[in-house]
Amino acid sequence: MRKKLVKDSRYVQGKFSPLNPSKYKGFWPIIYRSNLELTVFRWLDNNSKVISWGSESVVIPYYCPLDGQYNKKLHRYFVDLVVHMLDSNNVSHKLLIEIKPHKYTQKPTITPKKSQSTILYEQTQYVINQAKWEAAHNWCKKNGYKFLIFTEKHIKE
């Protein structure tokens, strides 16, 4: 599967060139879709505890609750990262990692300043993300992985 870079001027986006390409196990080119992703890609590439990593190389099927009872359609969730790494005790871990701004991990708030379309969009995205993440948790349980969501709060640490 070939990934495409569809530019969105609101985000820092581009193609990542790893310094340690042998650790990368995924599709080329390696596309980052935000500054947060670029920061994590660099960390993975340079961290000696990371055995291997891939970007958007695990696809998890899920059903979206917004489809309605009679229009159920199987969707595909391309998880941001799959990582195999060692912890501080050299114990191996397999991780699926989603990278999202913190505000997208929280239930949306309704304020007088927000337009109806913004409120509807935020609520829709929240419901979709919850369905994706539930499917990811279930997939991880079955396949011996741990699912993590990284936000800018985690990445700064």
Side-chain angles (χ1 to χ4, degrees):
M1 175 188 318
R2 188 178 162 121
K3 297 191 303 182
K4 293 181 181 177
L5 176 60
V6 178
K7 286 279 192 171
D8 184 332
S9 61
R10 296 175 295 169
Y11 304 102
V12 175
Q13 298 177 319
K15 295 178 183 177
F16 179 72
S17 297
L19 298 174
N20 299 291
S22 62
K23 287 177 26 173
Y24 185 76
K25 309 294 183 210
F27 301 106
W28 293 83
I30 307 169
I31 305 292
Y32 60 90
R33 301 180 193 286
S34 70
N35 195 41
L36 291 175
E37 284 190 5
L38 177 59
T39 300
V40 174
F41 287 10
R42 287 178 176 153
W43 182 85
L44 293 168
D45 186 38
N46 293 311
N47 189 319
S48 62
K49 295 285 188 178
V50 174
I51 298 166
S52 66
W53 68 283
S55 172
E56 297 182 0
S57 54
V58 171
V59 182
I60 298 175
Y62 74 99
Y63 289 100
C64 179
L66 300 175
D67 288 344
Q69 182 178 356
Y70 302 106
N71 296 324
K72 292 271 184 215
K73 176 183 168 190
L74 195 59
H75 298 269
R76 299 184 320 153
Y77 169 31
F78 292 79
V79 183
D80 288 335
L81 296 166
V82 57
V83 178
H84 185 197
M85 67 181 298
L86 303 173
D87 65 17
S88 58
N89 297 317
N90 287 327
V91 175
S92 175
H93 296 275
K94 297 186 293 184
L95 311 169
L96 288 186
I97 301 172
E98 179 67 17
I99 301 170
K100 278 277 185 259
H102 179 73
K103 71 179 183 176
Y104 294 128
T105 65
Q106 305 300 303
K107 192 170 185 173
T109 57
I110 298 173
T111 65
K113 291 184 179 182
K114 288 184 184 177
S115 70
Q116 282 298 110
S117 62
T118 298
I119 292 168
L120 182 59
Y121 175 78
E122 288 177 352
Q123 290 174 334
T124 300
Q125 290 305 117
Y126 182 76
V127 169
I128 292 169
N129 284 337
Q130 294 303 306
K132 288 178 179 180
W133 298 342
E134 181 181 351
H137 278 290
N138 292 336
W139 186 94
C140 286
K141 282 181 192 174
K142 291 178 187 171
N143 293 284
Y145 282 72
K146 183 174 181 181
F147 181 65
L148 303 171
I149 301 170
F150 283 4
T151 70
E152 65 276 10
K153 293 181 177 191
H154 301 101
I155 293 167
K156 288 179 183 177
E157 295 175 1

